[in-house]
Amino acid sequence: MNPWVALAYLVSGVFFILALRGLSSPASSRRGNRFGMAGMLIAVVTTLVTHDVANIVEIAIAIAIGGMIGFLIARRIAMTAMPELVAAFHSLVGLAAVLVGWAAYLNPGAFGLLVGDSIGAVSKVEMGLGIAIGAITFSGSVIAFAKLSGRMSGSPILLPARHVINLGTLAAIIVLTALFAMAGPSETMPLIIALTVLAFLIGFLLIIPIGGADMPVVVSMLNSYSGWAAAAMGFTLGNTAMIITGALVGSSGAILSYIMCRAMNRSFISVIAGGFGADASAGSGEAKEQRPYKQGSAADAAFMLEQAEKVIIIPGYGMAVAQAQHALREMADMLEEKGVEVKYAIHPVAGRMPGHMNVLLAEAQVPYENVFELEDINSEFAQADVAFIIGANDVVNPAAKTDKSSPIYGMPVFDVDKAKQVFFIKRSMGGVGYAGVDNDVFYMDQTMMLLSDAKKMVEEIVKALD
C-alpha cells in the first residue's frame, strides 16, 4: 500500500476515535459528529482516488442521493423517534455488508481475491463472516425497528424450543462457513446461499423474543454487529479504513452492551436469550394486589414543588412516549425562577436506546450541567425535598435492593424512597414495570400518585405554578 494512502486512512481512523470521544458527552457531541464526518470524508475520497473506478459519475450520483436522503431524514425526524431511526440505520449497514460480500463473491477478480482461478480460503472465511454478521445485523435491526416504532408488539414473542433452534442455526452457519472456505469453485454457490438465508433467519429469531425494555442492550449490540461486519468486509477488500472503523464501532458497541447489562444486573446471555418480563408471575406476584395509595392533583403537586428547596426529576420511557420533555423543561424553569434547585437523574437503561433520556432532554434544551448519572446523584436523594418521577418504574423500585426473589434484584436503582416527598406520574395503577414487579414506592407514606398522561399532568402543573 502506498504510504500516503496508509497515512490518509490512519488520519481518518484518528478522526473516528475523536468522534467516539466527543459523542461520550452531550456537551461535545456536535464536535464528535463533525470529527466523524471529516474522518468518513477522508476515507471515501482516499478510496475513490486510489482505486480504479468504473464510473465516477454513477458513484457521485449514488453518494448525492444517499446524502440527500440522510439529510432529509435527519432534519425531519422527531427526537422521540431516534431509537427506531438508529435501528433502521443499523439495518442498512448490515445490508451493505451483505451486498458487498456478494459482489466480491460474484466478481472476485475486481476485488483482488483470486488465488489462481479461485477465491482464496482466507478470503472466503472473511467473506462468509462478513455476509453472516451483516445479514444478522440487517434482519435483527428490522425487528428492533418494528418493536421500537410500534409496528410490532414490544412484548417478548417466545417460540417453542427457541434456544435449540437458535443454537442449531448458529452451528449450521459456522459449519457452512467452514465448508464454503474449503469448497471448490463449482460447489460454493449453494453454500453461500444457504449461509446467507440462515443468517437472515437467525437475526429475526434472536431479536423477536427480546422485549422492548431490553432495547438499549439490543441497539448497542446491533451497533457492535454492524461494526464487526464492516471490519470483516475490510479484511476481504483489503481496506484499512474499513477495518479500523469496523473495529472501533464493534468494540465500542460491545463495551456499551456490557455496561447496559451491568446497569440491569443481568448477563448478556440472559438478554439475548430473551423472554424477560413475558410472565408477570415471575415477579413478586403482587401486581394485582389492592393496596392503599395517595392520589393527588396537579395543584397539590405545584404547591409542594414551589415550597421545595431541592427537586430531583427522574425521567423514563413514559416521558418519551408522552413527549413531555418540553413541558418538563418549562416546569423546571419556573421552579428555578422561584429559587428551587432542580436536577435530572438519568438511569443508564432508561428508555429504549443508550442515552435515550439524554437525547430527549438535550432536544428540550435542558442544561447539560443539570443532568446527572445514577452514581453521581443517588446520594443526594436523602437531601432532596421532592423526587419527581415521570414515566420511570423499575429503575426506582426498592425491590431491587430488598427482595432477593425479585427478577430485578441487584439492579442499581435510584434511592427515591429517601426523599421527603415523592411525586409519581403514571397513567393508572393498573400496570407494573416491564419486569412484572409491583413497586412499593407507589404505596409509601410520602408518595403522591399523579395518575394521568405525563405531558398533560406536567402542563397542568405548569399552569398551577403560573
Side-chain angles (χ1 to χ4, degrees):
M1 179 184 292
N2 187 301
W4 290 106
V5 175
L7 178 61
Y9 283 150
L10 178 62
V11 170
S12 70
V14 171
F15 272 113
F16 292 141
I17 294 172
L18 293 174
L20 286 176
R21 180 174 179 81
L23 292 172
S24 65
S25 167
S28 58
S29 59
R30 290 178 183 269
R31 184 170 67 251
N33 267 321
R34 294 191 186 101
F35 281 135
M37 293 165 62
M40 185 56 67
L41 178 63
I42 293 172
V44 170
V45 171
T46 301
T47 300
L48 291 177
V49 169
T50 58
H51 288 72
D52 294 329
V53 178
N55 193 323
I56 189 64
V57 175
E58 291 180 356
I59 292 177
I61 292 173
I63 292 175
I65 294 173
M68 183 59 65
I69 293 173
F71 176 80
L72 292 175
I73 291 175
R75 293 284 294 179
R76 295 179 180 179
I77 195 73
M79 295 301 286
T80 50
M82 283 299 293
E84 54 259 44
L85 177 65
V86 171
F89 281 168
H90 286 161
S91 73
L92 297 179
V93 176
L95 184 60
V98 174
L99 295 177
V100 170
W102 267 91
Y105 170 74
L106 295 174
N107 191 6
F111 292 86
L113 303 180
L114 289 177
V115 178
D117 296 330
S118 62
I119 304 173
V122 174
S123 295
K124 286 181 181 178
V125 172
E126 296 165 352
M127 189 184 301
L129 289 175
I131 291 174
I133 299 172
I136 292 171
T137 303
F138 171 75
S139 54
S141 297
V142 169
I143 297 298
F145 170 80
K147 284 177 174 282
L148 290 167
S149 61
R151 291 171 171 82
M152 176 185 290
S153 171
S155 301
I157 300 173
L158 306 182
L159 303 176
R162 67 185 187 280
H163 298 315
V164 175
I165 295 172
N166 291 347
L167 289 174
T169 307
L170 287 173
I173 290 173
I174 295 172
V175 171
L176 285 170
T177 302
L179 293 175
F180 175 65
M182 296 183 293
S186 62
E187 303 169 335
T188 55
M189 179 62 78
L191 295 171
I192 195 172
I193 291 176
L195 172 66
T196 306
V197 171
L198 287 180
F200 278 126
L201 177 62
I202 193 63
F204 288 116
L205 295 176
L206 284 173
I207 307 302
I208 280 177
I210 300 177
D214 282 335
M215 281 300 127
V217 177
V218 172
V219 170
S220 58
M221 177 192 72
L222 292 171
N223 178 57
S224 179
Y225 287 177
S226 68
W228 298 126
M233 284 298 103
F235 280 108
T236 300
L237 304 179
N239 189 296
T240 307
M242 286 186 68
I243 297 171
I244 294 173
T245 307
L248 285 172
V249 173
S251 57
S252 62
I255 292 169
L256 186 56
S257 298
Y258 172 74
I259 292 172
M260 294 288 150
C261 289
R262 283 193 60 189
M264 294 189 295
N265 193 41
R266 298 176 61 205
S267 68
F268 182 75
I269 298 299
S270 72
V271 173
I272 299 307
F276 184 73
D279 184 1
S281 65
S284 62
E286 298 178 354
K288 296 183 179 180
E289 180 182 345
Q290 297 298 319
R291 300 168 62 183
Y293 62 91
K294 299 176 185 177
Q295 182 174 351
S297 66
D300 297 329
F303 175 77
M304 299 184 74
L305 283 168
E306 62 185 351
Q307 302 302 315
E309 292 183 4
K310 184 173 185 177
V311 174
I312 301 178
I313 299 172
I314 305 96
Y317 184 59
M319 183 197 75
V321 173
Q323 300 187 33
Q325 64 271 22
H326 292 282
L328 190 65
R329 163 68 195 274
E330 186 179 357
M331 184 192 80
D333 287 347
M334 295 182 71
L335 290 175
E336 288 176 339
E337 290 174 3
K338 297 176 183 293
V340 181
E341 181 185 9
V342 179
K343 293 184 176 182
Y344 297 81
I346 307 297
H347 196 278
V349 295
R352 292 297 183 266
M353 73 173 187
H356 194 180
M357 296 300 106
N358 302 77
V359 169
L360 293 178
L361 294 179
E363 191 246 348
Q365 298 184 344
V366 171
Y368 302 134
E369 60 270 17
N370 291 353
V371 180
F372 298 87
E373 300 294 334
L374 182 146
E375 62 271 15
D376 298 323
I377 200 171
N378 219 14
S379 62
E380 298 187 27
F381 280 99
Q383 293 81 45
D385 296 294
V386 175
F388 190 89
I389 304 167
I390 174 169
N393 199 330
D394 290 335
V395 299
V396 296
N397 194 334
K401 299 179 291 182
T402 60
D403 185 1
K404 292 186 178 181
S405 65
S406 171
I408 63 171
Y409 180 73
M411 182 176 99
V413 294
F414 290 114
D415 296 330
V416 297
D417 52 309
K418 295 181 180 179
K420 297 181 179 69
Q421 175 69 46
V422 177
F423 290 117
F424 207 123
I425 296 182
K426 196 172 184 291
R427 282 187 177 273
S428 70
M429 294 298 294
V432 293
Y434 176 70
V437 183
D438 202 10
N439 195 335
D440 286 339
V441 173
F442 301 161
Y443 315 106
M444 295 191 311
D445 291 338
Q446 73 265 41
T447 298
M448 182 177 291
M449 300 300 299
L450 305 175
L451 303 180
S452 175
D453 172 80
K455 183 178 181 181
K456 181 180 178 182
M457 177 57 70
V458 175
E459 288 175 342
E460 290 177 356
I461 293 174
V462 168
K463 290 178 182 178
L465 287 170
D466 195 0

